[in-house]
Amino acid sequence: MIDLEKLNKNRVLIKDVFDNKKKEVEIVGWVHNTRNLSKVKFLVLRDISGIVQVTGVDGKTDDKIFKMMDKISRESVVYVKGCVKDSKQAPGGKEINPDAMIVISEAEKLPIDVSDHSKTELPKRLDYRFLDLHRQRTQAIFKIQSTIGSAFKDYFINRGFIDMHPPSLIGSSSEGGTDLFKAKYFEQEAYLAQSPQLYKQMVACAMEKIVTITPVWRAEKHNTIRHLNECRQMDIEMAFANAMVVMKEMEGAVKYIVGEVLKKNKEDLDLLEVKLKVPKAKYMTFAEAVKLLKENKIHVEKDDLTPEAEKKLDELFPDTIVFVYDWPMSGKPFYIMPKDGKVDAKISEGFDAIYRGIEISSGGQRVHIPDLLIKRLKAKGLNPKDFKSYTDSFRFGAPPHSGWSIGIERFTQVLLKLLNIREAVLFPRDRDRLTP
Ligand code: AMO
């Protein structure tokens, strides 16, 4: 067994092999490739930071090491100690001549093609997602997603928002509708949270500005390239704010997140061949959007934008977050404030944000007045009794408040122009998939 404490102290990341500081290095990684030119053998090793060529020369390299070099199967985990040499032919201009080599874990015959431009189709790659994660392209997606999540949190924490952790088991629907997964909770029936909606509102009504990234579940039966049955939402909720205030917060956050990705993930973006710019922002009412789309011969539903309409908005306003506000009341959930607080208003204080041709977020001002909320629940065919603890929470000093949610997988998909949202989630949960 290899001494892991010693290894942790001594090992360098592969990217640091190229920094010209070290002459002798110890590295570990996965076998990316091997080549045998009879007198010379190459073993390309990969870790999370990059790849490096290990070169063995017949007669110069230790005989035992030279013999084993082309026998090690792809994706096996290997330790190498050796000297760093300049080499014009080697990728990155350096190679390692090995003095010691240990196979830490040998890989069996691979069930999928793990090369960057894998020939294996997505469903099969997802069946072996743990192995698909060995691919640098897949890793690039999740390195970028890591930046998105941390930049989102940093942005709001630095602006005085408080990080909260809402419950995942809930007693009643949070979005209305029937797309709920049921769970048995002792003698009661419970559901998996569809969103942190009601809880983030209750917290914001006491603690003013909150932020969260939390998993949610939607029992939607359809299989689409932009929906998952389990996704993670990046939410904020803000007291003393209306829809425009929180849309501006989103504009700032998305610009910051994209800026961070451009700064921290340049190599990942290059690998994925993604062109990205910090976006501009455009604000228009739903009525204005409908007029514009009609002028461009695009059909619009009475209270929603079709995927075709979203694409057109991207064509008309490239590299722009398009905020569409004053959304029709019928297209928004019960908790969204009717325009100017009028119970039978046709227009709401809700909005959607469209970016790179897809809806990334929805949000709005909330109903913080219990009587109005009860009326809105009834209007949506919901039973106010099921929401009593929520409606009652606004009886003891509840400020007006607003917020929104961006799905982190949807945002990753949009940013990287991935054809299927499943590429942007480590272990997708969809209609047919519960493993791995
Ligand atoms: P909504 O249901 O529009 O609003 O969701 C907000 C954002 O979450 C993401 N999202 C999804 N991503 C993948 N698969 C899904 N099935 C899925 N459902 C939602 C999208 C979407 O724009 N509580 C409100 C938000 C608010 O008002 O604060 C809500 O959940 O990016």
Side-chain angles (χ1 to χ4, degrees), residues 197-206 334-335 366-371 373-374 377 384 387-399 401:
Q197 184 63 36
L198 312 187
Y199 296 91
K200 66 172 177 165
Q201 284 187 248
M202 290 193 253
V203 180
C205 282
F334 64 88
Y335 51 76
R366 323 303 190 181
V367 181
H368 63 287
I369 304 155
D371 291 348
L373 191 52
I374 289 167
L377 281 162
F387 295 85
K388 192 169 178 318
S389 71
Y390 169 64
T391 45
D392 280 352
S393 77
F394 300 117
R395 295 188 191 281
F396 312 102
H401 58 283

PDB file of all heavy atoms in Angstrom, residues 197-206 334-335 366-371 373-374 377 384 387-399 401:
ATOM      1  N   GLN A 197     -39.589  28.247  -1.518  1.00  0.00           N
ATOM      2  CA  GLN A 197     -40.378  29.477  -1.607  1.00  0.00           C
ATOM      3  C   GLN A 197     -40.947  29.964  -0.271  1.00  0.00           C
ATOM      4  O   GLN A 197     -40.640  31.043   0.206  1.00  0.00           O
ATOM      5  CB  GLN A 197     -41.507  29.281  -2.622  1.00  0.00           C
ATOM      6  CG  GLN A 197     -42.326  30.531  -2.861  1.00  0.00           C
ATOM      7  CD  GLN A 197     -41.505  31.652  -3.470  1.00  0.00           C
ATOM      8  OE1 GLN A 197     -40.630  31.408  -4.286  1.00  0.00           O
ATOM      9  NE2 GLN A 197     -41.754  32.877  -3.051  1.00  0.00           N
ATOM     10  N   LEU A 198     -41.814  29.153   0.335  1.00  0.00           N
ATOM     11  CA  LEU A 198     -42.549  29.659   1.495  1.00  0.00           C
ATOM     12  C   LEU A 198     -41.609  29.905   2.664  1.00  0.00           C
ATOM     13  O   LEU A 198     -41.777  30.845   3.439  1.00  0.00           O
ATOM     14  CB  LEU A 198     -43.657  28.670   1.885  1.00  0.00           C
ATOM     15  CG  LEU A 198     -44.522  28.173   0.716  1.00  0.00           C
ATOM     16  CD1 LEU A 198     -45.694  27.342   1.234  1.00  0.00           C
ATOM     17  CD2 LEU A 198     -45.047  29.323  -0.140  1.00  0.00           C
ATOM     18  N   TYR A 199     -40.569  29.080   2.748  1.00  0.00           N
ATOM     19  CA  TYR A 199     -39.638  29.195   3.880  1.00  0.00           C
ATOM     20  C   TYR A 199     -38.715  30.393   3.717  1.00  0.00           C
ATOM     21  O   TYR A 199     -38.402  31.095   4.669  1.00  0.00           O
ATOM     22  CB  TYR A 199     -38.871  27.876   4.051  1.00  0.00           C
ATOM     23  CG  TYR A 199     -39.848  26.788   4.421  1.00  0.00           C
ATOM     24  CD1 TYR A 199     -40.456  26.012   3.440  1.00  0.00           C
ATOM     25  CD2 TYR A 199     -40.246  26.626   5.742  1.00  0.00           C
ATOM     26  CE1 TYR A 199     -41.409  25.073   3.772  1.00  0.00           C
ATOM     27  CE2 TYR A 199     -41.202  25.683   6.085  1.00  0.00           C
ATOM     28  CZ  TYR A 199     -41.785  24.913   5.097  1.00  0.00           C
ATOM     29  OH  TYR A 199     -42.734  23.999   5.430  1.00  0.00           O
ATOM     30  N   LYS A 200     -38.271  30.631   2.464  1.00  0.00           N
ATOM     31  CA  LYS A 200     -37.381  31.796   2.290  1.00  0.00           C
ATOM     32  C   LYS A 200     -38.155  33.078   2.559  1.00  0.00           C
ATOM     33  O   LYS A 200     -37.618  34.041   3.099  1.00  0.00           O
ATOM     34  CB  LYS A 200     -36.701  31.792   0.920  1.00  0.00           C
ATOM     35  CG  LYS A 200     -37.596  31.972  -0.286  1.00  0.00           C
ATOM     36  CD  LYS A 200     -36.759  32.137  -1.570  1.00  0.00           C
ATOM     37  CE  LYS A 200     -37.631  32.257  -2.796  1.00  0.00           C
ATOM     38  NZ  LYS A 200     -36.919  32.746  -3.972  1.00  0.00           N
ATOM     39  N   GLN A 201     -39.449  33.094   2.244  1.00  0.00           N
ATOM     40  CA  GLN A 201     -40.261  34.280   2.530  1.00  0.00           C
ATOM     41  C   GLN A 201     -40.372  34.503   4.037  1.00  0.00           C
ATOM     42  O   GLN A 201     -40.205  35.610   4.520  1.00  0.00           O
ATOM     43  CB  GLN A 201     -41.662  34.103   1.947  1.00  0.00           C
ATOM     44  CG  GLN A 201     -41.744  34.291   0.456  1.00  0.00           C
ATOM     45  CD  GLN A 201     -43.191  34.258  -0.003  1.00  0.00           C
ATOM     46  OE1 GLN A 201     -43.587  33.328  -0.690  1.00  0.00           O
ATOM     47  NE2 GLN A 201     -43.969  35.243   0.384  1.00  0.00           N
ATOM     48  N   MET A 202     -40.661  33.388   4.763  1.00  0.00           N
ATOM     49  CA  MET A 202     -40.823  33.535   6.217  1.00  0.00           C
ATOM     50  C   MET A 202     -39.532  34.035   6.860  1.00  0.00           C
ATOM     51  O   MET A 202     -39.559  34.855   7.766  1.00  0.00           O
ATOM     52  CB  MET A 202     -41.250  32.199   6.831  1.00  0.00           C
ATOM     53  CG  MET A 202     -42.670  31.805   6.469  1.00  0.00           C
ATOM     54  SD  MET A 202     -43.265  30.464   7.496  1.00  0.00           S
ATOM     55  CE  MET A 202     -43.237  29.099   6.371  1.00  0.00           C
ATOM     56  N   VAL A 203     -38.388  33.543   6.362  1.00  0.00           N
ATOM     57  CA  VAL A 203     -37.110  33.959   6.939  1.00  0.00           C
ATOM     58  C   VAL A 203     -36.821  35.423   6.573  1.00  0.00           C
ATOM     59  O   VAL A 203     -36.410  36.210   7.422  1.00  0.00           O
ATOM     60  CB  VAL A 203     -35.961  33.015   6.494  1.00  0.00           C
ATOM     61  CG1 VAL A 203     -34.640  33.468   7.096  1.00  0.00           C
ATOM     62  CG2 VAL A 203     -36.251  31.579   6.924  1.00  0.00           C
ATOM     63  N   ALA A 204     -37.084  35.781   5.316  1.00  0.00           N
ATOM     64  CA  ALA A 204     -36.801  37.164   4.892  1.00  0.00           C
ATOM     65  C   ALA A 204     -37.676  38.161   5.646  1.00  0.00           C
ATOM     66  O   ALA A 204     -37.260  39.296   5.890  1.00  0.00           O
ATOM     67  CB  ALA A 204     -36.999  37.310   3.389  1.00  0.00           C
ATOM     68  N   CYS A 205     -38.874  37.726   6.021  1.00  0.00           N
ATOM     69  CA  CYS A 205     -39.762  38.630   6.764  1.00  0.00           C
ATOM     70  C   CYS A 205     -39.229  38.912   8.165  1.00  0.00           C
ATOM     71  O   CYS A 205     -39.712  39.809   8.848  1.00  0.00           O
ATOM     72  CB  CYS A 205     -41.178  38.062   6.827  1.00  0.00           C
ATOM     73  SG  CYS A 205     -42.034  38.315   5.268  1.00  0.00           S
ATOM     74  N   ALA A 206     -38.266  38.137   8.619  1.00  0.00           N
ATOM     75  CA  ALA A 206     -37.643  38.394   9.918  1.00  0.00           C
ATOM     76  C   ALA A 206     -36.197  38.844   9.769  1.00  0.00           C
ATOM     77  O   ALA A 206     -35.725  39.706  10.487  1.00  0.00           O
ATOM     78  CB  ALA A 206     -37.703  37.135  10.776  1.00  0.00           C
ATOM     79  N   PHE A 334     -49.648  31.491  -6.826  1.00  0.00           N
ATOM     80  CA  PHE A 334     -50.511  32.208  -5.867  1.00  0.00           C
ATOM     81  C   PHE A 334     -49.765  33.236  -5.025  1.00  0.00           C
ATOM     82  O   PHE A 334     -50.342  34.194  -4.543  1.00  0.00           O
ATOM     83  CB  PHE A 334     -51.212  31.203  -4.941  1.00  0.00           C
ATOM     84  CG  PHE A 334     -50.258  30.420  -4.069  1.00  0.00           C
ATOM     85  CD1 PHE A 334     -49.858  30.897  -2.827  1.00  0.00           C
ATOM     86  CD2 PHE A 334     -49.744  29.207  -4.488  1.00  0.00           C
ATOM     87  CE1 PHE A 334     -48.978  30.190  -2.022  1.00  0.00           C
ATOM     88  CE2 PHE A 334     -48.854  28.486  -3.697  1.00  0.00           C
ATOM     89  CZ  PHE A 334     -48.473  28.980  -2.468  1.00  0.00           C
ATOM     90  N   TYR A 335     -48.478  33.031  -4.802  1.00  0.00           N
ATOM     91  CA  TYR A 335     -47.763  33.907  -3.871  1.00  0.00           C
ATOM     92  C   TYR A 335     -47.271  35.197  -4.527  1.00  0.00           C
ATOM     93  O   TYR A 335     -46.680  36.054  -3.880  1.00  0.00           O
ATOM     94  CB  TYR A 335     -46.583  33.162  -3.220  1.00  0.00           C
ATOM     95  CG  TYR A 335     -45.661  32.472  -4.205  1.00  0.00           C
ATOM     96  CD1 TYR A 335     -44.741  33.179  -4.956  1.00  0.00           C
ATOM     97  CD2 TYR A 335     -45.723  31.084  -4.379  1.00  0.00           C
ATOM     98  CE1 TYR A 335     -43.902  32.558  -5.859  1.00  0.00           C
ATOM     99  CE2 TYR A 335     -44.885  30.441  -5.292  1.00  0.00           C
ATOM    100  CZ  TYR A 335     -43.975  31.186  -6.026  1.00  0.00           C
ATOM    101  OH  TYR A 335     -43.156  30.557  -6.926  1.00  0.00           O
ATOM    102  N   ARG A 366     -43.999  39.407  -3.544  1.00  0.00           N
ATOM    103  CA  ARG A 366     -44.898  38.411  -2.938  1.00  0.00           C
ATOM    104  C   ARG A 366     -46.101  39.085  -2.288  1.00  0.00           C
ATOM    105  O   ARG A 366     -46.035  40.255  -1.891  1.00  0.00           O
ATOM    106  CB  ARG A 366     -44.162  37.609  -1.864  1.00  0.00           C
ATOM    107  CG  ARG A 366     -42.726  37.295  -2.156  1.00  0.00           C
ATOM    108  CD  ARG A 366     -42.536  36.558  -3.449  1.00  0.00           C
ATOM    109  NE  ARG A 366     -41.160  36.073  -3.587  1.00  0.00           N
ATOM    110  CZ  ARG A 366     -40.716  35.418  -4.630  1.00  0.00           C
ATOM    111  NH1 ARG A 366     -41.495  35.171  -5.663  1.00  0.00           N
ATOM    112  NH2 ARG A 366     -39.472  34.998  -4.681  1.00  0.00           N
ATOM    113  N   VAL A 367     -47.125  38.273  -2.087  1.00  0.00           N
ATOM    114  CA  VAL A 367     -48.277  38.758  -1.321  1.00  0.00           C
ATOM    115  C   VAL A 367     -47.936  38.615   0.164  1.00  0.00           C
ATOM    116  O   VAL A 367     -47.726  37.497   0.639  1.00  0.00           O
ATOM    117  CB  VAL A 367     -49.536  37.922  -1.643  1.00  0.00           C
ATOM    118  CG1 VAL A 367     -50.730  38.459  -0.861  1.00  0.00           C
ATOM    119  CG2 VAL A 367     -49.825  37.907  -3.133  1.00  0.00           C
ATOM    120  N   HIS A 368     -47.837  39.741   0.881  1.00  0.00           N
ATOM    121  CA  HIS A 368     -47.501  39.652   2.309  1.00  0.00           C
ATOM    122  C   HIS A 368     -48.716  39.995   3.178  1.00  0.00           C
ATOM    123  O   HIS A 368     -48.586  40.147   4.391  1.00  0.00           O
ATOM    124  CB  HIS A 368     -46.334  40.588   2.636  1.00  0.00           C
ATOM    125  CG  HIS A 368     -46.661  42.028   2.416  1.00  0.00           C
ATOM    126  ND1 HIS A 368     -46.789  42.580   1.158  1.00  0.00           N
ATOM    127  CD2 HIS A 368     -46.916  43.029   3.291  1.00  0.00           C
ATOM    128  CE1 HIS A 368     -47.101  43.854   1.275  1.00  0.00           C
ATOM    129  NE2 HIS A 368     -47.196  44.153   2.558  1.00  0.00           N
ATOM    130  N   ILE A 369     -49.888  40.120   2.529  1.00  0.00           N
ATOM    131  CA  ILE A 369     -51.110  40.484   3.262  1.00  0.00           C
ATOM    132  C   ILE A 369     -51.990  39.234   3.360  1.00  0.00           C
ATOM    133  O   ILE A 369     -52.436  38.707   2.326  1.00  0.00           O
ATOM    134  CB  ILE A 369     -51.845  41.621   2.512  1.00  0.00           C
ATOM    135  CG1 ILE A 369     -50.883  42.812   2.337  1.00  0.00           C
ATOM    136  CG2 ILE A 369     -53.135  42.035   3.207  1.00  0.00           C
ATOM    137  CD1 ILE A 369     -51.203  43.711   1.176  1.00  0.00           C
ATOM    138  N   PRO A 370     -52.208  38.696   4.584  1.00  0.00           N
ATOM    139  CA  PRO A 370     -52.867  37.386   4.723  1.00  0.00           C
ATOM    140  C   PRO A 370     -54.202  37.279   3.979  1.00  0.00           C
ATOM    141  O   PRO A 370     -54.436  36.274   3.291  1.00  0.00           O
ATOM    142  CB  PRO A 370     -53.053  37.240   6.235  1.00  0.00           C
ATOM    143  CG  PRO A 370     -51.983  38.095   6.817  1.00  0.00           C
ATOM    144  CD  PRO A 370     -51.771  39.239   5.872  1.00  0.00           C
ATOM    145  N   ASP A 371     -55.076  38.296   4.098  1.00  0.00           N
ATOM    146  CA  ASP A 371     -56.395  38.183   3.463  1.00  0.00           C
ATOM    147  C   ASP A 371     -56.274  38.079   1.939  1.00  0.00           C
ATOM    148  O   ASP A 371     -56.977  37.296   1.304  1.00  0.00           O
ATOM    149  CB  ASP A 371     -57.276  39.392   3.817  1.00  0.00           C
ATOM    150  CG  ASP A 371     -57.654  39.341   5.287  1.00  0.00           C
ATOM    151  OD1 ASP A 371     -57.413  38.279   5.904  1.00  0.00           O
ATOM    152  OD2 ASP A 371     -58.157  40.354   5.806  1.00  0.00           O
ATOM    153  N   LEU A 373     -53.692  36.964   0.357  1.00  0.00           N
ATOM    154  CA  LEU A 373     -53.058  35.673   0.058  1.00  0.00           C
ATOM    155  C   LEU A 373     -54.109  34.551   0.037  1.00  0.00           C
ATOM    156  O   LEU A 373     -54.094  33.687  -0.854  1.00  0.00           O
ATOM    157  CB  LEU A 373     -51.978  35.398   1.121  1.00  0.00           C
ATOM    158  CG  LEU A 373     -51.021  34.247   0.870  1.00  0.00           C
ATOM    159  CD1 LEU A 373     -50.360  34.337  -0.495  1.00  0.00           C
ATOM    160  CD2 LEU A 373     -49.934  34.224   1.955  1.00  0.00           C
ATOM    161  N   ILE A 374     -55.036  34.607   0.995  1.00  0.00           N
ATOM    162  CA  ILE A 374     -56.103  33.595   1.041  1.00  0.00           C
ATOM    163  C   ILE A 374     -56.956  33.677  -0.228  1.00  0.00           C
ATOM    164  O   ILE A 374     -57.287  32.657  -0.837  1.00  0.00           O
ATOM    165  CB  ILE A 374     -56.938  33.759   2.336  1.00  0.00           C
ATOM    166  CG1 ILE A 374     -56.077  33.307   3.535  1.00  0.00           C
ATOM    167  CG2 ILE A 374     -58.242  32.965   2.283  1.00  0.00           C
ATOM    168  CD1 ILE A 374     -56.600  33.679   4.892  1.00  0.00           C
ATOM    169  N   LEU A 377     -54.985  32.160  -3.085  1.00  0.00           N
ATOM    170  CA  LEU A 377     -54.959  30.690  -3.002  1.00  0.00           C
ATOM    171  C   LEU A 377     -56.249  30.116  -3.563  1.00  0.00           C
ATOM    172  O   LEU A 377     -56.242  29.184  -4.380  1.00  0.00           O
ATOM    173  CB  LEU A 377     -54.778  30.250  -1.542  1.00  0.00           C
ATOM    174  CG  LEU A 377     -53.340  30.320  -1.000  1.00  0.00           C
ATOM    175  CD1 LEU A 377     -53.326  30.294   0.523  1.00  0.00           C
ATOM    176  CD2 LEU A 377     -52.493  29.171  -1.544  1.00  0.00           C
ATOM    177  N   PRO A 384     -56.873  27.121   1.326  1.00  0.00           N
ATOM    178  CA  PRO A 384     -56.095  27.934   2.271  1.00  0.00           C
ATOM    179  C   PRO A 384     -55.742  27.184   3.557  1.00  0.00           C
ATOM    180  O   PRO A 384     -54.724  27.484   4.181  1.00  0.00           O
ATOM    181  CB  PRO A 384     -57.016  29.122   2.562  1.00  0.00           C
ATOM    182  CG  PRO A 384     -57.932  29.192   1.387  1.00  0.00           C
ATOM    183  CD  PRO A 384     -58.121  27.779   0.917  1.00  0.00           C
ATOM    184  N   PHE A 387     -52.355  25.845   3.807  1.00  0.00           N
ATOM    185  CA  PHE A 387     -51.262  26.828   3.830  1.00  0.00           C
ATOM    186  C   PHE A 387     -51.352  27.713   5.076  1.00  0.00           C
ATOM    187  O   PHE A 387     -50.786  28.800   5.110  1.00  0.00           O
ATOM    188  CB  PHE A 387     -51.329  27.711   2.566  1.00  0.00           C
ATOM    189  CG  PHE A 387     -51.085  26.937   1.297  1.00  0.00           C
ATOM    190  CD1 PHE A 387     -52.123  26.270   0.657  1.00  0.00           C
ATOM    191  CD2 PHE A 387     -49.810  26.853   0.763  1.00  0.00           C
ATOM    192  CE1 PHE A 387     -51.888  25.548  -0.504  1.00  0.00           C
ATOM    193  CE2 PHE A 387     -49.565  26.130  -0.401  1.00  0.00           C
ATOM    194  CZ  PHE A 387     -50.612  25.478  -1.038  1.00  0.00           C
ATOM    195  N   LYS A 388     -52.086  27.205   6.101  1.00  0.00           N
ATOM    196  CA  LYS A 388     -52.388  28.069   7.251  1.00  0.00           C
ATOM    197  C   LYS A 388     -51.125  28.601   7.948  1.00  0.00           C
ATOM    198  O   LYS A 388     -51.030  29.793   8.250  1.00  0.00           O
ATOM    199  CB  LYS A 388     -53.278  27.306   8.243  1.00  0.00           C
ATOM    200  CG  LYS A 388     -53.861  28.213   9.301  1.00  0.00           C
ATOM    201  CD  LYS A 388     -54.930  27.534  10.111  1.00  0.00           C
ATOM    202  CE  LYS A 388     -55.490  28.439  11.206  1.00  0.00           C
ATOM    203  NZ  LYS A 388     -54.534  29.225  11.934  1.00  0.00           N
ATOM    204  N   SER A 389     -50.157  27.733   8.173  1.00  0.00           N
ATOM    205  CA  SER A 389     -48.975  28.217   8.913  1.00  0.00           C
ATOM    206  C   SER A 389     -48.231  29.266   8.085  1.00  0.00           C
ATOM    207  O   SER A 389     -47.624  30.190   8.628  1.00  0.00           O
ATOM    208  CB  SER A 389     -48.045  27.066   9.297  1.00  0.00           C
ATOM    209  OG  SER A 389     -47.409  26.560   8.154  1.00  0.00           O
ATOM    210  N   TYR A 390     -48.313  29.133   6.776  1.00  0.00           N
ATOM    211  CA  TYR A 390     -47.660  30.110   5.880  1.00  0.00           C
ATOM    212  C   TYR A 390     -48.424  31.436   5.899  1.00  0.00           C
ATOM    213  O   TYR A 390     -47.833  32.505   6.169  1.00  0.00           O
ATOM    214  CB  TYR A 390     -47.603  29.494   4.483  1.00  0.00           C
ATOM    215  CG  TYR A 390     -47.211  30.409   3.353  1.00  0.00           C
ATOM    216  CD1 TYR A 390     -45.957  30.998   3.306  1.00  0.00           C
ATOM    217  CD2 TYR A 390     -48.099  30.643   2.297  1.00  0.00           C
ATOM    218  CE1 TYR A 390     -45.590  31.810   2.237  1.00  0.00           C
ATOM    219  CE2 TYR A 390     -47.736  31.446   1.227  1.00  0.00           C
ATOM    220  CZ  TYR A 390     -46.487  32.036   1.203  1.00  0.00           C
ATOM    221  OH  TYR A 390     -46.134  32.822   0.147  1.00  0.00           O
ATOM    222  N   THR A 391     -49.739  31.388   5.679  1.00  0.00           N
ATOM    223  CA  THR A 391     -50.508  32.645   5.655  1.00  0.00           C
ATOM    224  C   THR A 391     -50.453  33.332   7.037  1.00  0.00           C
ATOM    225  O   THR A 391     -50.316  34.545   7.131  1.00  0.00           O
ATOM    226  CB  THR A 391     -51.981  32.427   5.240  1.00  0.00           C
ATOM    227  OG1 THR A 391     -52.498  31.304   5.940  1.00  0.00           O
ATOM    228  CG2 THR A 391     -52.110  32.179   3.763  1.00  0.00           C
ATOM    229  N   ASP A 392     -50.516  32.510   8.103  1.00  0.00           N
ATOM    230  CA  ASP A 392     -50.470  33.088   9.459  1.00  0.00           C
ATOM    231  C   ASP A 392     -49.140  33.774   9.745  1.00  0.00           C
ATOM    232  O   ASP A 392     -49.070  34.695  10.560  1.00  0.00           O
ATOM    233  CB  ASP A 392     -50.708  31.998  10.514  1.00  0.00           C
ATOM    234  CG  ASP A 392     -52.191  31.679  10.646  1.00  0.00           C
ATOM    235  OD1 ASP A 392     -53.019  32.407  10.026  1.00  0.00           O
ATOM    236  OD2 ASP A 392     -52.544  30.697  11.343  1.00  0.00           O
ATOM    237  N   SER A 393     -48.079  33.318   9.086  1.00  0.00           N
ATOM    238  CA  SER A 393     -46.755  33.898   9.377  1.00  0.00           C
ATOM    239  C   SER A 393     -46.696  35.377   9.005  1.00  0.00           C
ATOM    240  O   SER A 393     -45.813  36.099   9.460  1.00  0.00           O
ATOM    241  CB  SER A 393     -45.658  33.133   8.633  1.00  0.00           C
ATOM    242  OG  SER A 393     -45.632  33.493   7.265  1.00  0.00           O
ATOM    243  N   PHE A 394     -47.646  35.826   8.172  1.00  0.00           N
ATOM    244  CA  PHE A 394     -47.632  37.234   7.757  1.00  0.00           C
ATOM    245  C   PHE A 394     -48.504  38.116   8.663  1.00  0.00           C
ATOM    246  O   PHE A 394     -48.736  39.278   8.362  1.00  0.00           O
ATOM    247  CB  PHE A 394     -48.084  37.357   6.297  1.00  0.00           C
ATOM    248  CG  PHE A 394     -47.194  36.589   5.336  1.00  0.00           C
ATOM    249  CD1 PHE A 394     -47.698  35.537   4.581  1.00  0.00           C
ATOM    250  CD2 PHE A 394     -45.851  36.918   5.207  1.00  0.00           C
ATOM    251  CE1 PHE A 394     -46.872  34.827   3.714  1.00  0.00           C
ATOM    252  CE2 PHE A 394     -45.017  36.214   4.341  1.00  0.00           C
ATOM    253  CZ  PHE A 394     -45.530  35.165   3.595  1.00  0.00           C
ATOM    254  N   ARG A 395     -48.995  37.539   9.759  1.00  0.00           N
ATOM    255  CA  ARG A 395     -49.908  38.295  10.641  1.00  0.00           C
ATOM    256  C   ARG A 395     -49.158  39.070  11.721  1.00  0.00           C
ATOM    257  O   ARG A 395     -49.766  39.771  12.511  1.00  0.00           O
ATOM    258  CB  ARG A 395     -50.914  37.347  11.306  1.00  0.00           C
ATOM    259  CG  ARG A 395     -51.862  36.692  10.309  1.00  0.00           C
ATOM    260  CD  ARG A 395     -52.966  35.903  10.990  1.00  0.00           C
ATOM    261  NE  ARG A 395     -53.684  35.093  10.020  1.00  0.00           N
ATOM    262  CZ  ARG A 395     -54.617  35.550   9.182  1.00  0.00           C
ATOM    263  NH1 ARG A 395     -54.984  36.810   9.229  1.00  0.00           N
ATOM    264  NH2 ARG A 395     -55.195  34.737   8.321  1.00  0.00           N
ATOM    265  N   PHE A 396     -47.862  38.878  11.834  1.00  0.00           N
ATOM    266  CA  PHE A 396     -47.154  39.421  13.001  1.00  0.00           C
ATOM    267  C   PHE A 396     -46.010  40.344  12.587  1.00  0.00           C
ATOM    268  O   PHE A 396     -44.900  40.243  13.085  1.00  0.00           O
ATOM    269  CB  PHE A 396     -46.639  38.258  13.866  1.00  0.00           C
ATOM    270  CG  PHE A 396     -47.700  37.227  14.128  1.00  0.00           C
ATOM    271  CD1 PHE A 396     -47.719  36.029  13.423  1.00  0.00           C
ATOM    272  CD2 PHE A 396     -48.721  37.478  15.043  1.00  0.00           C
ATOM    273  CE1 PHE A 396     -48.712  35.092  13.643  1.00  0.00           C
ATOM    274  CE2 PHE A 396     -49.726  36.543  15.264  1.00  0.00           C
ATOM    275  CZ  PHE A 396     -49.726  35.348  14.566  1.00  0.00           C
ATOM    276  N   GLY A 397     -46.294  41.207  11.648  1.00  0.00           N
ATOM    277  CA  GLY A 397     -45.261  42.153  11.225  1.00  0.00           C
ATOM    278  C   GLY A 397     -44.484  41.629  10.035  1.00  0.00           C
ATOM    279  O   GLY A 397     -43.350  41.174  10.198  1.00  0.00           O
ATOM    280  N   ALA A 398     -45.123  41.645   8.860  1.00  0.00           N
ATOM    281  CA  ALA A 398     -44.457  41.130   7.657  1.00  0.00           C
ATOM    282  C   ALA A 398     -44.222  42.262   6.651  1.00  0.00           C
ATOM    283  O   ALA A 398     -45.177  42.855   6.148  1.00  0.00           O
ATOM    284  CB  ALA A 398     -45.310  40.039   7.013  1.00  0.00           C
ATOM    285  N   PRO A 399     -42.972  42.566   6.377  1.00  0.00           N
ATOM    286  CA  PRO A 399     -42.707  43.643   5.407  1.00  0.00           C
ATOM    287  C   PRO A 399     -42.992  43.189   3.975  1.00  0.00           C
ATOM    288  O   PRO A 399     -42.959  41.983   3.691  1.00  0.00           O
ATOM    289  CB  PRO A 399     -41.210  43.916   5.576  1.00  0.00           C
ATOM    290  CG  PRO A 399     -40.641  42.663   6.140  1.00  0.00           C
ATOM    291  CD  PRO A 399     -41.735  41.973   6.907  1.00  0.00           C
ATOM    292  N   HIS A 401     -41.988  42.140   0.380  1.00  0.00           N
ATOM    293  CA  HIS A 401     -40.720  41.476   0.043  1.00  0.00           C
ATOM    294  C   HIS A 401     -40.800  40.841  -1.335  1.00  0.00           C
ATOM    295  O   HIS A 401     -41.891  40.574  -1.845  1.00  0.00           O
ATOM    296  CB  HIS A 401     -40.357  40.442   1.112  1.00  0.00           C
ATOM    297  CG  HIS A 401     -41.396  39.387   1.321  1.00  0.00           C
ATOM    298  ND1 HIS A 401     -42.568  39.608   2.026  1.00  0.00           N
ATOM    299  CD2 HIS A 401     -41.455  38.103   0.898  1.00  0.00           C
ATOM    300  CE1 HIS A 401     -43.289  38.503   2.035  1.00  0.00           C
ATOM    301  NE2 HIS A 401     -42.650  37.572   1.352  1.00  0.00           N
TER     302      HIS A 401
END
